[in-house]
PDB file of all heavy atoms in Angstrom:
ATOM      1  N   LEU A   1      -4.339  -9.385   2.406  1.00 87.00           N
ATOM      2  CA  LEU A   1      -5.794  -9.396   2.349  1.00 87.00           C
ATOM      3  C   LEU A   1      -6.247 -10.412   1.310  1.00 87.00           C
ATOM      4  O   LEU A   1      -5.533 -10.664   0.337  1.00 87.00           O
ATOM      5  CB  LEU A   1      -6.329  -8.007   1.953  1.00 87.00           C
ATOM      6  CG  LEU A   1      -6.210  -6.896   2.984  1.00 87.00           C
ATOM      7  CD1 LEU A   1      -6.433  -5.546   2.327  1.00 87.00           C
ATOM      8  CD2 LEU A   1      -7.200  -7.110   4.123  1.00 87.00           C
ATOM      9  N   PRO A   2      -7.443 -10.978   1.475  1.00 81.00           N
ATOM     10  CA  PRO A   2      -7.962 -11.870   0.437  1.00 81.00           C
ATOM     11  C   PRO A   2      -8.312 -11.080  -0.817  1.00 81.00           C
ATOM     12  O   PRO A   2      -8.601  -9.895  -0.752  1.00 81.00           O
ATOM     13  CB  PRO A   2      -9.219 -12.474   1.080  1.00 81.00           C
ATOM     14  CG  PRO A   2      -9.591 -11.529   2.163  1.00 81.00           C
ATOM     15  CD  PRO A   2      -8.330 -10.883   2.636  1.00 81.00           C
ATOM     16  N   GLU A   3      -8.243 -11.711  -1.950  1.00 83.00           N
ATOM     17  CA  GLU A   3      -8.572 -11.176  -3.276  1.00 83.00           C
ATOM     18  C   GLU A   3      -7.524 -10.213  -3.836  1.00 83.00           C
ATOM     19  O   GLU A   3      -7.107 -10.343  -4.974  1.00 83.00           O
ATOM     20  CB  GLU A   3      -9.941 -10.474  -3.305  1.00 83.00           C
ATOM     21  CG  GLU A   3     -11.124 -11.381  -3.073  1.00 83.00           C
ATOM     22  CD  GLU A   3     -11.659 -11.252  -1.666  1.00 83.00           C
ATOM     23  OE1 GLU A   3     -11.338 -10.263  -0.996  1.00 83.00           O
ATOM     24  OE2 GLU A   3     -12.401 -12.158  -1.245  1.00 83.00           O
ATOM     25  N   ILE A   4      -7.107  -9.233  -3.044  1.00 89.00           N
ATOM     26  CA  ILE A   4      -6.160  -8.230  -3.537  1.00 89.00           C
ATOM     27  C   ILE A   4      -5.281  -7.789  -2.376  1.00 89.00           C
ATOM     28  O   ILE A   4      -5.760  -7.629  -1.258  1.00 89.00           O
ATOM     29  CB  ILE A   4      -6.904  -7.036  -4.173  1.00 89.00           C
ATOM     30  CG1 ILE A   4      -5.914  -5.994  -4.697  1.00 89.00           C
ATOM     31  CG2 ILE A   4      -7.885  -6.412  -3.200  1.00 89.00           C
ATOM     32  CD1 ILE A   4      -6.585  -4.895  -5.513  1.00 89.00           C
ATOM     33  N   SER A   5      -4.003  -7.604  -2.620  1.00 88.00           N
ATOM     34  CA  SER A   5      -3.074  -7.280  -1.532  1.00 88.00           C
ATOM     35  C   SER A   5      -3.180  -5.807  -1.145  1.00 88.00           C
ATOM     36  O   SER A   5      -3.632  -4.963  -1.922  1.00 88.00           O
ATOM     37  CB  SER A   5      -1.636  -7.588  -1.955  1.00 88.00           C
ATOM     38  OG  SER A   5      -1.169  -6.621  -2.887  1.00 88.00           O
ATOM     39  N   GLY A   6      -2.722  -5.523   0.075  1.00 89.00           N
ATOM     40  CA  GLY A   6      -2.683  -4.146   0.539  1.00 89.00           C
ATOM     41  C   GLY A   6      -1.797  -3.275  -0.329  1.00 89.00           C
ATOM     42  O   GLY A   6      -2.079  -2.095  -0.539  1.00 89.00           O
ATOM     43  N   VAL A   7      -0.718  -3.842  -0.852  1.00 89.00           N
ATOM     44  CA  VAL A   7       0.186  -3.093  -1.721  1.00 89.00           C
ATOM     45  C   VAL A   7      -0.552  -2.641  -2.988  1.00 89.00           C
ATOM     46  O   VAL A   7      -0.426  -1.494  -3.435  1.00 89.00           O
ATOM     47  CB  VAL A   7       1.424  -3.936  -2.090  1.00 89.00           C
ATOM     48  CG1 VAL A   7       2.233  -3.265  -3.191  1.00 89.00           C
ATOM     49  CG2 VAL A   7       2.302  -4.142  -0.856  1.00 89.00           C
ATOM     50  N   GLU A   8      -1.343  -3.545  -3.574  1.00 91.00           N
ATOM     51  CA  GLU A   8      -2.094  -3.196  -4.785  1.00 91.00           C
ATOM     52  C   GLU A   8      -3.161  -2.143  -4.485  1.00 91.00           C
ATOM     53  O   GLU A   8      -3.387  -1.229  -5.292  1.00 91.00           O
ATOM     54  CB  GLU A   8      -2.745  -4.446  -5.392  1.00 91.00           C
ATOM     55  CG  GLU A   8      -1.748  -5.415  -6.002  1.00 91.00           C
ATOM     56  CD  GLU A   8      -0.863  -4.749  -7.044  1.00 91.00           C
ATOM     57  OE1 GLU A   8      -1.408  -4.042  -7.912  1.00 91.00           O
ATOM     58  OE2 GLU A   8       0.372  -4.920  -6.987  1.00 91.00           O
ATOM     59  N   ILE A   9      -3.814  -2.266  -3.329  1.00 91.00           N
ATOM     60  CA  ILE A   9      -4.809  -1.266  -2.937  1.00 91.00           C
ATOM     61  C   ILE A   9      -4.138   0.096  -2.780  1.00 91.00           C
ATOM     62  O   ILE A   9      -4.665   1.122  -3.218  1.00 91.00           O
ATOM     63  CB  ILE A   9      -5.511  -1.673  -1.630  1.00 91.00           C
ATOM     64  CG1 ILE A   9      -6.377  -2.919  -1.864  1.00 91.00           C
ATOM     65  CG2 ILE A   9      -6.371  -0.529  -1.081  1.00 91.00           C
ATOM     66  CD1 ILE A   9      -6.899  -3.549  -0.597  1.00 91.00           C
ATOM     67  N   CYS A  10      -2.966   0.100  -2.175  1.00 91.00           N
ATOM     68  CA  CYS A  10      -2.209   1.335  -1.983  1.00 91.00           C
ATOM     69  C   CYS A  10      -1.916   2.001  -3.334  1.00 91.00           C
ATOM     70  O   CYS A  10      -2.110   3.214  -3.511  1.00 91.00           O
ATOM     71  CB  CYS A  10      -0.911   1.023  -1.239  1.00 91.00           C
ATOM     72  SG  CYS A  10      -0.034   2.484  -0.672  1.00 91.00           S
ATOM     73  N   LYS A  11      -1.483   1.209  -4.297  1.00 90.00           N
ATOM     74  CA  LYS A  11      -1.195   1.745  -5.629  1.00 90.00           C
ATOM     75  C   LYS A  11      -2.450   2.329  -6.277  1.00 90.00           C
ATOM     76  O   LYS A  11      -2.401   3.385  -6.918  1.00 90.00           O
ATOM     77  CB  LYS A  11      -0.613   0.643  -6.529  1.00 90.00           C
ATOM     78  CG  LYS A  11       0.799   0.209  -6.152  1.00 90.00           C
ATOM     79  CD  LYS A  11       1.249  -0.924  -7.065  1.00 90.00           C
ATOM     80  CE  LYS A  11       2.650  -1.412  -6.706  1.00 90.00           C
ATOM     81  NZ  LYS A  11       3.050  -2.574  -7.545  1.00 90.00           N
ATOM     82  N   LEU A  12      -3.576   1.642  -6.106  1.00 91.00           N
ATOM     83  CA  LEU A  12      -4.830   2.114  -6.688  1.00 91.00           C
ATOM     84  C   LEU A  12      -5.271   3.434  -6.057  1.00 91.00           C
ATOM     85  O   LEU A  12      -5.734   4.343  -6.753  1.00 91.00           O
ATOM     86  CB  LEU A  12      -5.925   1.058  -6.510  1.00 91.00           C
ATOM     87  CG  LEU A  12      -5.795  -0.196  -7.375  1.00 91.00           C
ATOM     88  CD1 LEU A  12      -6.782  -1.271  -6.913  1.00 91.00           C
ATOM     89  CD2 LEU A  12      -6.032   0.135  -8.845  1.00 91.00           C
ATOM     90  N   VAL A  13      -5.115   3.539  -4.738  1.00 90.00           N
ATOM     91  CA  VAL A  13      -5.471   4.787  -4.051  1.00 90.00           C
ATOM     92  C   VAL A  13      -4.627   5.939  -4.591  1.00 90.00           C
ATOM     93  O   VAL A  13      -5.139   7.033  -4.871  1.00 90.00           O
ATOM     94  CB  VAL A  13      -5.277   4.646  -2.530  1.00 90.00           C
ATOM     95  CG1 VAL A  13      -5.392   6.008  -1.834  1.00 90.00           C
ATOM     96  CG2 VAL A  13      -6.298   3.682  -1.951  1.00 90.00           C
ATOM     97  N   ARG A  14      -3.342   5.698  -4.766  1.00 89.00           N
ATOM     98  CA  ARG A  14      -2.445   6.762  -5.241  1.00 89.00           C
ATOM     99  C   ARG A  14      -2.721   7.158  -6.693  1.00 89.00           C
ATOM    100  O   ARG A  14      -2.307   8.220  -7.142  1.00 89.00           O
ATOM    101  CB  ARG A  14      -0.983   6.331  -5.083  1.00 89.00           C
ATOM    102  CG  ARG A  14      -0.545   6.130  -3.636  1.00 89.00           C
ATOM    103  CD  ARG A  14      -0.712   7.394  -2.816  1.00 89.00           C
ATOM    104  NE  ARG A  14      -0.291   7.211  -1.424  1.00 89.00           N
ATOM    105  CZ  ARG A  14      -1.025   7.554  -0.387  1.00 89.00           C
ATOM    106  NH1 ARG A  14      -2.196   8.112  -0.566  1.00 89.00           N
ATOM    107  NH2 ARG A  14      -0.587   7.367   0.840  1.00 89.00           N
ATOM    108  N   SER A  15      -3.437   6.325  -7.425  1.00 88.00           N
ATOM    109  CA  SER A  15      -3.747   6.630  -8.830  1.00 88.00           C
ATOM    110  C   SER A  15      -5.045   7.420  -8.986  1.00 88.00           C
ATOM    111  O   SER A  15      -5.370   7.866 -10.087  1.00 88.00           O
ATOM    112  CB  SER A  15      -3.848   5.333  -9.647  1.00 88.00           C
ATOM    113  OG  SER A  15      -5.030   4.620  -9.332  1.00 88.00           O
ATOM    114  N   LYS A  16      -5.792   7.604  -7.876  1.00 84.00           N
ATOM    115  CA  LYS A  16      -7.093   8.274  -7.941  1.00 84.00           C
ATOM    116  C   LYS A  16      -6.961   9.718  -7.460  1.00 84.00           C
ATOM    117  O   LYS A  16      -6.604   9.964  -6.303  1.00 84.00           O
ATOM    118  CB  LYS A  16      -8.110   7.539  -7.061  1.00 84.00           C
ATOM    119  CG  LYS A  16      -8.434   6.131  -7.520  1.00 84.00           C
ATOM    120  CD  LYS A  16      -9.383   6.170  -8.680  1.00 84.00           C
ATOM    121  CE  LYS A  16      -9.856   4.794  -9.079  1.00 84.00           C
ATOM    122  NZ  LYS A  16     -10.816   4.848 -10.183  1.00 84.00           N
ATOM    123  N   PRO A  17      -7.261  10.694  -8.325  1.00 77.00           N
ATOM    124  CA  PRO A  17      -7.038  12.101  -7.976  1.00 77.00           C
ATOM    125  C   PRO A  17      -7.743  12.560  -6.705  1.00 77.00           C
ATOM    126  O   PRO A  17      -7.189  13.353  -5.948  1.00 77.00           O
ATOM    127  CB  PRO A  17      -7.588  12.855  -9.197  1.00 77.00           C
ATOM    128  CG  PRO A  17      -7.530  11.884 -10.323  1.00 77.00           C
ATOM    129  CD  PRO A  17      -7.765  10.540  -9.710  1.00 77.00           C
ATOM    130  N   ASP A  18      -8.961  12.052  -6.450  1.00 72.00           N
ATOM    131  CA  ASP A  18      -9.732  12.565  -5.321  1.00 72.00           C
ATOM    132  C   ASP A  18      -9.371  11.929  -3.983  1.00 72.00           C
ATOM    133  O   ASP A  18      -9.823  12.407  -2.938  1.00 72.00           O
ATOM    134  CB  ASP A  18     -11.237  12.420  -5.582  1.00 72.00           C
ATOM    135  CG  ASP A  18     -11.628  11.006  -5.986  1.00 72.00           C
ATOM    136  OD1 ASP A  18     -10.782  10.301  -6.553  1.00 72.00           O
ATOM    137  OD2 ASP A  18     -12.781  10.610  -5.739  1.00 72.00           O
ATOM    138  N   ILE A  19      -8.567  10.868  -3.967  1.00 82.00           N
ATOM    139  CA  ILE A  19      -8.202  10.219  -2.694  1.00 82.00           C
ATOM    140  C   ILE A  19      -6.699   9.991  -2.551  1.00 82.00           C
ATOM    141  O   ILE A  19      -6.243   9.436  -1.553  1.00 82.00           O
ATOM    142  CB  ILE A  19      -8.934   8.860  -2.525  1.00 82.00           C
ATOM    143  CG1 ILE A  19      -8.637   7.921  -3.702  1.00 82.00           C
ATOM    144  CG2 ILE A  19     -10.438   9.073  -2.370  1.00 82.00           C
ATOM    145  CD1 ILE A  19      -9.192   6.509  -3.525  1.00 82.00           C
ATOM    146  N   LYS A  20      -5.917  10.425  -3.530  1.00 83.00           N
ATOM    147  CA  LYS A  20      -4.495  10.056  -3.571  1.00 83.00           C
ATOM    148  C   LYS A  20      -3.663  10.629  -2.428  1.00 83.00           C
ATOM    149  O   LYS A  20      -2.580  10.124  -2.126  1.00 83.00           O
ATOM    150  CB  LYS A  20      -3.884  10.468  -4.907  1.00 83.00           C
ATOM    151  CG  LYS A  20      -3.795  11.974  -5.122  1.00 83.00           C
ATOM    152  CD  LYS A  20      -3.165  12.284  -6.468  1.00 83.00           C
ATOM    153  CE  LYS A  20      -3.028  13.779  -6.682  1.00 83.00           C
ATOM    154  NZ  LYS A  20      -2.441  14.078  -8.007  1.00 83.00           N
ATOM    155  N   ASN A  21      -4.156  11.687  -1.756  1.00 84.00           N
ATOM    156  CA  ASN A  21      -3.383  12.317  -0.688  1.00 84.00           C
ATOM    157  C   ASN A  21      -3.672  11.766   0.711  1.00 84.00           C
ATOM    158  O   ASN A  21      -3.107  12.236   1.681  1.00 84.00           O
ATOM    159  CB  ASN A  21      -3.631  13.825  -0.691  1.00 84.00           C
ATOM    160  CG  ASN A  21      -3.084  14.492  -1.932  1.00 84.00           C
ATOM    161  OD1 ASN A  21      -1.967  14.203  -2.350  1.00 84.00           O
ATOM    162  ND2 ASN A  21      -3.860  15.364  -2.539  1.00 84.00           N
ATOM    163  N   ILE A  22      -4.556  10.778   0.794  1.00 89.00           N
ATOM    164  CA  ILE A  22      -4.892  10.232   2.117  1.00 89.00           C
ATOM    165  C   ILE A  22      -3.694   9.464   2.679  1.00 89.00           C
ATOM    166  O   ILE A  22      -3.144   8.582   2.010  1.00 89.00           O
ATOM    167  CB  ILE A  22      -6.109   9.292   2.022  1.00 89.00           C
ATOM    168  CG1 ILE A  22      -7.342  10.053   1.527  1.00 89.00           C
ATOM    169  CG2 ILE A  22      -6.398   8.654   3.386  1.00 89.00           C
ATOM    170  CD1 ILE A  22      -8.548   9.164   1.257  1.00 89.00           C
ATOM    171  N   PRO A  23      -3.252   9.767   3.916  1.00 91.00           N
ATOM    172  CA  PRO A  23      -2.150   9.012   4.521  1.00 91.00           C
ATOM    173  C   PRO A  23      -2.508   7.541   4.698  1.00 91.00           C
ATOM    174  O   PRO A  23      -3.620   7.216   5.106  1.00 91.00           O
ATOM    175  CB  PRO A  23      -1.944   9.694   5.876  1.00 91.00           C
ATOM    176  CG  PRO A  23      -2.584  11.039   5.748  1.00 91.00           C
ATOM    177  CD  PRO A  23      -3.707  10.865   4.788  1.00 91.00           C
ATOM    178  N   ILE A  24      -1.549   6.660   4.371  1.00 93.00           N
ATOM    179  CA  ILE A  24      -1.754   5.213   4.491  1.00 93.00           C
ATOM    180  C   ILE A  24      -0.672   4.623   5.388  1.00 93.00           C
ATOM    181  O   ILE A  24       0.521   4.821   5.155  1.00 93.00           O
ATOM    182  CB  ILE A  24      -1.701   4.525   3.115  1.00 93.00           C
ATOM    183  CG1 ILE A  24      -2.843   5.027   2.223  1.00 93.00           C
ATOM    184  CG2 ILE A  24      -1.780   3.003   3.273  1.00 93.00           C
ATOM    185  CD1 ILE A  24      -2.792   4.488   0.806  1.00 93.00           C
ATOM    186  N   ILE A  25      -1.120   3.908   6.422  1.00 93.00           N
ATOM    187  CA  ILE A  25      -0.195   3.179   7.302  1.00 93.00           C
ATOM    188  C   ILE A  25      -0.381   1.694   7.024  1.00 93.00           C
ATOM    189  O   ILE A  25      -1.474   1.157   7.207  1.00 93.00           O
ATOM    190  CB  ILE A  25      -0.468   3.480   8.788  1.00 93.00           C
ATOM    191  CG1 ILE A  25      -0.369   4.992   9.064  1.00 93.00           C
ATOM    192  CG2 ILE A  25       0.499   2.704   9.684  1.00 93.00           C
ATOM    193  CD1 ILE A  25      -0.784   5.380  10.474  1.00 93.00           C
ATOM    194  N   MET A  26       0.675   1.030   6.560  1.00 90.00           N
ATOM    195  CA  MET A  26       0.603  -0.400   6.273  1.00 90.00           C
ATOM    196  C   MET A  26       0.769  -1.204   7.561  1.00 90.00           C
ATOM    197  O   MET A  26       1.656  -0.920   8.378  1.00 90.00           O
ATOM    198  CB  MET A  26       1.705  -0.803   5.297  1.00 90.00           C
ATOM    199  CG  MET A  26       1.607  -0.187   3.917  1.00 90.00           C
ATOM    200  SD  MET A  26       0.276  -0.859   2.904  1.00 90.00           S
ATOM    201  CE  MET A  26       0.851  -2.524   2.631  1.00 90.00           C
ATOM    202  N   LEU A  27      -0.087  -2.206   7.744  1.00 89.00           N
ATOM    203  CA  LEU A  27       0.003  -3.128   8.879  1.00 89.00           C
ATOM    204  C   LEU A  27       0.393  -4.498   8.329  1.00 89.00           C
ATOM    205  O   LEU A  27      -0.317  -5.040   7.487  1.00 89.00           O
ATOM    206  CB  LEU A  27      -1.351  -3.240   9.595  1.00 89.00           C
ATOM    207  CG  LEU A  27      -2.015  -1.940  10.043  1.00 89.00           C
ATOM    208  CD1 LEU A  27      -3.367  -2.241  10.664  1.00 89.00           C
ATOM    209  CD2 LEU A  27      -1.119  -1.198  11.034  1.00 89.00           C
ATOM    210  N   THR A  28       1.498  -5.032   8.790  1.00 83.00           N
ATOM    211  CA  THR A  28       1.957  -6.279   8.186  1.00 83.00           C
ATOM    212  C   THR A  28       2.813  -7.103   9.117  1.00 83.00           C
ATOM    213  O   THR A  28       3.471  -6.576  10.008  1.00 83.00           O
ATOM    214  CB  THR A  28       2.754  -5.978   6.900  1.00 83.00           C
ATOM    215  OG1 THR A  28       3.274  -7.183   6.373  1.00 83.00           O
ATOM    216  CG2 THR A  28       3.898  -5.032   7.179  1.00 83.00           C
ATOM    217  N   ALA A  29       2.793  -8.414   8.898  1.00 78.00           N
ATOM    218  CA  ALA A  29       3.676  -9.327   9.628  1.00 78.00           C
ATOM    219  C   ALA A  29       5.044  -9.384   8.969  1.00 78.00           C
ATOM    220  O   ALA A  29       5.974  -9.974   9.502  1.00 78.00           O
ATOM    221  CB  ALA A  29       3.046 -10.717   9.679  1.00 78.00           C
ATOM    222  N   LYS A  30       5.167  -8.813   7.774  1.00 67.00           N
ATOM    223  CA  LYS A  30       6.440  -8.826   7.060  1.00 67.00           C
ATOM    224  C   LYS A  30       7.361  -7.774   7.663  1.00 67.00           C
ATOM    225  O   LYS A  30       6.999  -6.612   7.752  1.00 67.00           O
ATOM    226  CB  LYS A  30       6.223  -8.526   5.572  1.00 67.00           C
ATOM    227  CG  LYS A  30       5.406  -9.602   4.849  1.00 67.00           C
ATOM    228  CD  LYS A  30       5.113  -9.172   3.421  1.00 67.00           C
ATOM    229  CE  LYS A  30       4.384 -10.274   2.666  1.00 67.00           C
ATOM    230  NZ  LYS A  30       5.261 -11.371   2.297  1.00 67.00           N
ATOM    231  N   GLY A  31       8.552  -8.194   8.064  1.00 61.00           N
ATOM    232  CA  GLY A  31       9.454  -7.261   8.728  1.00 61.00           C
ATOM    233  C   GLY A  31      10.765  -7.026   8.020  1.00 61.00           C
ATOM    234  O   GLY A  31      11.598  -6.249   8.488  1.00 61.00           O
ATOM    235  N   GLU A  32      10.994  -7.703   6.904  1.00 59.00           N
ATOM    236  CA  GLU A  32      12.250  -7.532   6.189  1.00 59.00           C
ATOM    237  C   GLU A  32      12.322  -6.150   5.548  1.00 59.00           C
ATOM    238  O   GLU A  32      11.315  -5.582   5.129  1.00 59.00           O
ATOM    239  CB  GLU A  32      12.401  -8.606   5.113  1.00 59.00           C
ATOM    240  CG  GLU A  32      12.478 -10.026   5.652  1.00 59.00           C
ATOM    241  CD  GLU A  32      13.676 -10.247   6.554  1.00 59.00           C
ATOM    242  OE1 GLU A  32      14.740  -9.653   6.263  1.00 59.00           O
ATOM    243  OE2 GLU A  32      13.554 -10.982   7.540  1.00 59.00           O
ATOM    244  N   GLU A  33      13.557  -5.643   5.458  1.00 60.00           N
ATOM    245  CA  GLU A  33      13.764  -4.309   4.888  1.00 60.00           C
ATOM    246  C   GLU A  33      13.228  -4.224   3.458  1.00 60.00           C
ATOM    247  O   GLU A  33      12.613  -3.226   3.057  1.00 60.00           O
ATOM    248  CB  GLU A  33      15.252  -3.957   4.903  1.00 60.00           C
ATOM    249  CG  GLU A  33      15.528  -2.540   4.389  1.00 60.00           C
ATOM    250  CD  GLU A  33      16.991  -2.165   4.497  1.00 60.00           C
ATOM    251  OE1 GLU A  33      17.778  -2.969   5.052  1.00 60.00           O
ATOM    252  OE2 GLU A  33      17.347  -1.088   4.016  1.00 60.00           O
ATOM    253  N   GLU A  34      13.416  -5.293   2.683  1.00 66.00           N
ATOM    254  CA  GLU A  34      12.964  -5.303   1.294  1.00 66.00           C
ATOM    255  C   GLU A  34      11.438  -5.142   1.208  1.00 66.00           C
ATOM    256  O   GLU A  34      10.906  -4.458   0.331  1.00 66.00           O
ATOM    257  CB  GLU A  34      13.372  -6.616   0.617  1.00 66.00           C
ATOM    258  CG  GLU A  34      13.005  -6.688  -0.852  1.00 66.00           C
ATOM    259  CD  GLU A  34      13.468  -7.996  -1.476  1.00 66.00           C
ATOM    260  OE1 GLU A  34      14.406  -8.637  -0.950  1.00 66.00           O
ATOM    261  OE2 GLU A  34      12.870  -8.369  -2.501  1.00 66.00           O
ATOM    262  N   ASP A  35      10.716  -5.778   2.167  1.00 66.00           N
ATOM    263  CA  ASP A  35       9.266  -5.664   2.189  1.00 66.00           C
ATOM    264  C   ASP A  35       8.833  -4.250   2.563  1.00 66.00           C
ATOM    265  O   ASP A  35       7.857  -3.714   2.015  1.00 66.00           O
ATOM    266  CB  ASP A  35       8.665  -6.672   3.172  1.00 66.00           C
ATOM    267  CG  ASP A  35       8.873  -8.107   2.718  1.00 66.00           C
ATOM    268  OD1 ASP A  35       8.739  -8.356   1.510  1.00 66.00           O
ATOM    269  OD2 ASP A  35       9.179  -8.957   3.562  1.00 66.00           O
ATOM    270  N   LYS A  36       9.545  -3.644   3.500  1.00 66.00           N
ATOM    271  CA  LYS A  36       9.228  -2.276   3.888  1.00 66.00           C
ATOM    272  C   LYS A  36       9.412  -1.333   2.707  1.00 66.00           C
ATOM    273  O   LYS A  36       8.577  -0.458   2.449  1.00 66.00           O
ATOM    274  CB  LYS A  36      10.111  -1.828   5.059  1.00 66.00           C
ATOM    275  CG  LYS A  36       9.810  -2.548   6.365  1.00 66.00           C
ATOM    276  CD  LYS A  36      10.677  -2.026   7.485  1.00 66.00           C
ATOM    277  CE  LYS A  36      10.378  -2.765   8.787  1.00 66.00           C
ATOM    278  NZ  LYS A  36      11.202  -2.280   9.912  1.00 66.00           N
ATOM    279  N   VAL A  37      10.494  -1.526   1.994  1.00 73.00           N
ATOM    280  CA  VAL A  37      10.763  -0.696   0.820  1.00 73.00           C
ATOM    281  C   VAL A  37       9.647  -0.867  -0.212  1.00 73.00           C
ATOM    282  O   VAL A  37       9.178   0.104  -0.816  1.00 73.00           O
ATOM    283  CB  VAL A  37      12.131  -1.039   0.194  1.00 73.00           C
ATOM    284  CG1 VAL A  37      12.305  -0.358  -1.163  1.00 73.00           C
ATOM    285  CG2 VAL A  37      13.254  -0.632   1.125  1.00 73.00           C
ATOM    286  N   LYS A  38       9.205  -2.108  -0.396  1.00 72.00           N
ATOM    287  CA  LYS A  38       8.135  -2.381  -1.358  1.00 72.00           C
ATOM    288  C   LYS A  38       6.852  -1.662  -0.969  1.00 72.00           C
ATOM    289  O   LYS A  38       6.167  -1.058  -1.810  1.00 72.00           O
ATOM    290  CB  LYS A  38       7.886  -3.889  -1.438  1.00 72.00           C
ATOM    291  CG  LYS A  38       6.869  -4.296  -2.510  1.00 72.00           C
ATOM    292  CD  LYS A  38       6.743  -5.807  -2.593  1.00 72.00           C
ATOM    293  CE  LYS A  38       5.707  -6.214  -3.640  1.00 72.00           C
ATOM    294  NZ  LYS A  38       5.547  -7.685  -3.717  1.00 72.00           N
ATOM    295  N   GLY A  39       6.506  -1.720   0.318  1.00 68.00           N
ATOM    296  CA  GLY A  39       5.295  -1.052   0.786  1.00 68.00           C
ATOM    297  C   GLY A  39       5.380   0.451   0.646  1.00 68.00           C
ATOM    298  O   GLY A  39       4.441   1.105   0.171  1.00 68.00           O
ATOM    299  N   LEU A  40       6.511   1.029   1.030  1.00 77.00           N
ATOM    300  CA  LEU A  40       6.680   2.476   0.926  1.00 77.00           C
ATOM    301  C   LEU A  40       6.744   2.926  -0.528  1.00 77.00           C
ATOM    302  O   LEU A  40       6.227   3.989  -0.885  1.00 77.00           O
ATOM    303  CB  LEU A  40       7.943   2.914   1.681  1.00 77.00           C
ATOM    304  CG  LEU A  40       7.892   2.692   3.202  1.00 77.00           C
ATOM    305  CD1 LEU A  40       9.259   2.942   3.827  1.00 77.00           C
ATOM    306  CD2 LEU A  40       6.840   3.585   3.857  1.00 77.00           C
TER     307      LEU A  40
END
């Protein structure tokens, strides 16, 4: 995403008590195992 990556947004969501439990599905063109591990 422009300005801030989806990974950073994911981390921010998990740090907020009132929204941290919302399920997140990452959509990405990155298919390497290392990238998947990073996202998860």
Side-chain angles (χ1 to χ4, degrees):
L1 289 165
E3 294 102 17
I4 180 172
S5 73
V7 169
E8 290 305 312
I9 292 169
C10 191
K11 290 177 181 176
L12 288 169
V13 169
R14 295 301 180 230
S15 72
K16 295 282 186 178
D18 52 333
I19 57 173
K20 67 179 182 181
N21 293 316
I22 298 174
I24 297 175
I25 303 173
M26 296 288 292
L27 307 177
T28 176
K30 295 174 176 285
E32 297 298 324
E33 183 176 355
E34 183 178 337
D35 294 320
K36 292 182 181 180
V37 170
K38 185 176 179 181
L40 295 171

